[in-house]
Amino acid sequence: AATLLTTATAVGLIVSGTFQRLAAMTSFFLAANYCFSCLALIVLRRREPELRRPYRAWGYPWSVWVVIVGGVIFLVAMLVGDPFNGLAALGLLAVGLIARSALTRGAIPP
């Protein structure tokens, strides 16, 4: 369902001539995803230090912090330089989180 909704949104943006908006919002989400993934890596390694690590994070923790700082700088720069698309991306993220919360209310967590 999420893939179909994302595809429908992308097709709607392309058809409406706002492909640049789609590209700007996608770059915002990718940078945010990198930041949150790196933060999750730090949190999980601190929370469960004895857990087996199936992969190595080269340069950890410095490389992770470089990605986080770079991502945050990009996100802030986008909000300052292109506030319309930055705020639209944040609004879309908020709508998605609210919809997810509403759809999973009462569901048993995995």
Side-chain angles (χ1 to χ4, degrees):
T3 301
L4 293 175
L5 182 61
T6 302
T7 302
T9 303
V11 168
L13 287 170
I14 291 169
V15 169
S16 68
T18 56
F19 186 75
Q20 284 182 322
R21 175 176 291 161
L22 175 64
M25 291 173 70
T26 301
S27 64
F28 185 90
F29 288 128
L30 286 173
N33 185 47
Y34 287 140
C35 290
F36 285 120
S37 295
C38 288
L39 281 173
L41 176 66
I42 292 170
V43 168
L44 290 174
R45 289 202 174 189
R46 286 190 180 172
R47 188 178 293 163
E48 299 186 28
E50 301 302 320
L51 194 62
R52 184 179 160 278
R53 307 290 177 215
Y55 68 92
R56 296 182 48 88
W58 180 84
Y60 178 83
W62 301 107
S63 60
V64 176
W65 282 109
V66 168
V67 172
I68 291 171
V69 169
V72 169
I73 289 171
F74 176 84
L75 294 172
V76 169
M78 182 168 179
L79 287 171
V80 170
D82 189 6
F84 184 78
N85 285 326
L87 292 174
L90 284 176
L92 187 58
L93 179 62
V95 167
L97 290 173
I98 291 168
R100 180 184 183 277
S101 176
L103 291 172
T104 59
R105 184 167 289 140
I108 299 172

